[in-house]
Amino acid sequence: MKKLIYFFLVFASFQVIAQEQPESPYKLDQSFHFDKKIDFELKMDGKIVRSYIYFNTSSGYSLLEKDFFSQYEGGQNLDYQITFPQHEEQFLYTVEQEDHKRRSFRIHKPVLFAGQDLSNMAYFMAYFRNMQPTGQTVNMGEKGDFYSEEYEHSNAETAGDMKFYISKYTDAFLKDNSFCVSWLGLGYLNVSNRTFLITKISSASHQFQINLVTEKNADYTFNGQDYESVSVFLNEQIESMANSQAEAQNVFVESLQKIEDPEEKNLRKKAQKLKDADQQKMMDIMKQMAKGDGKIEDVYAAANSFMDPVQKIEIQKADLKVEKQQISEKLKKESAKEYPSEKKMTVYKLQLDKVNEKSNVLDIYKRQFDKLKTDHAEKPMELINKNVEVFMEMNTKLQEVETKFEKEIKNVK
């Protein structure tokens, strides 16, 4: 499924001038009607999938059903996906495997194409204005009745080897200079008041090819009212988090009263303040998502904020400072005894070494995350992936430090 993201081919016709996207008039719980159906065959990475897409050619949206998604690992939860290219939006309808709960939610600017954000419509206009016929033709469809011309970008070196096959043999009619294209790229576009059908897309370098098998009229309606908006779930989670946070705060206040060391008490307050701020930020993002039924204006910024690795590091460093103060006090008390325990002294020193080494590891990775943020400032999706990758690497390194010192402590005699 991951590689399919590249082929989220939502685009406009060749002659359309880029405009700001209109506000979506659609609701998750309404009914959607479709007047066209395309059966297709998708070949990718050696796998062949056959399924179908429904289209509403007058309003310009399309539907993929679980018949398609269930053929891919991880797609079993997805029942329906409606794509609204003019509004840069998708509606997803899912069923949870555990409790069979049906939920629906919106996605805003969900994917990338050729490294460009879906919202950058100027890119799409420029890309397709530079498409040109190669002179090659092919008869598409199971009966070969869709005579299609091959198009490719005028600068394949920079635009890639994607080829599109366009046919004028369709009775569908779209509004002038409009488009109705599915998530996988097949669909319709109107140029100069003439409607064309995209019958095939291929890319040798990405081992991708999708072919139209049949195109037919349809009279199909899907009703989203049987699915509960994800906003209900998110609001329940926000309320639960708020209650847990209040309870945790009460426990924290009580625990502070039992601490005699003023320095430890001060360090604990600082650590708790960071944790509270982190959770509040998560709750604020969830509130934004709940308000938009799952849709959020800048999904990449939200994702990077939701899992801000530098903030997580600051929290871990604050906890290590508390731990270091506790160990230091134990070492101080033990060394002040008339006959201090050599074993305890050695253990406390090793524990301090462990805390210091972990703190050094966190400092090293904090610099890495700062650099990643600078290096990938213009590529938010890459930043998300890199942050996750490096964060996992950091946790592995911290665990290695923990294991090393625990063995040494265990062997102290």
Side-chain angles (χ1 to χ4, degrees), residues 18-21 88 108-112 116-124 297 300:
Q19 299 175 347
E20 285 196 19
Q21 302 307 301
E88 299 178 3
H108 180 62
K109 303 179 183 177
V111 294
L112 303 175
Q116 298 294 325
D117 196 302
L118 183 61
S119 65
N120 188 350
M121 296 305 291
Y123 170 81
F124 289 98
E297 193 62 28
Y300 301 123

Side-chain angles (χ1 to χ4, degrees), residues 341-403:
S341 166
E342 289 298 324
K343 181 177 180 179
K344 286 185 178 180
M345 297 278 285
T346 302
V347 168
Y348 293 150
K349 289 176 182 178
L350 284 171
Q351 288 176 339
L352 285 174
D353 289 342
K354 179 181 71 173
V355 169
N356 288 331
E357 189 163 332
K358 280 187 173 182
S359 185
N360 289 336
V361 169
L362 291 172
D363 285 338
I364 290 170
Y365 278 93
K366 182 180 181 299
R367 289 192 290 271
Q368 285 195 39
F369 286 120
D370 286 337
K371 187 174 186 301
L372 284 175
K373 190 173 183 178
T374 301
D375 293 347
H376 299 276
E378 302 300 321
K379 299 178 180 179
M381 191 63 191
E382 285 187 15
L383 178 60
I384 293 170
N385 292 332
K386 281 290 184 181
N387 278 343
V388 171
E389 179 185 329
V390 176
F391 197 82
M392 292 175 65
E393 178 187 304
M394 181 187 76
N395 284 338
T396 300
K397 184 65 67 176
L398 290 171
Q399 187 56 53
E400 289 173 357
V401 173
E402 179 73 26
T403 302

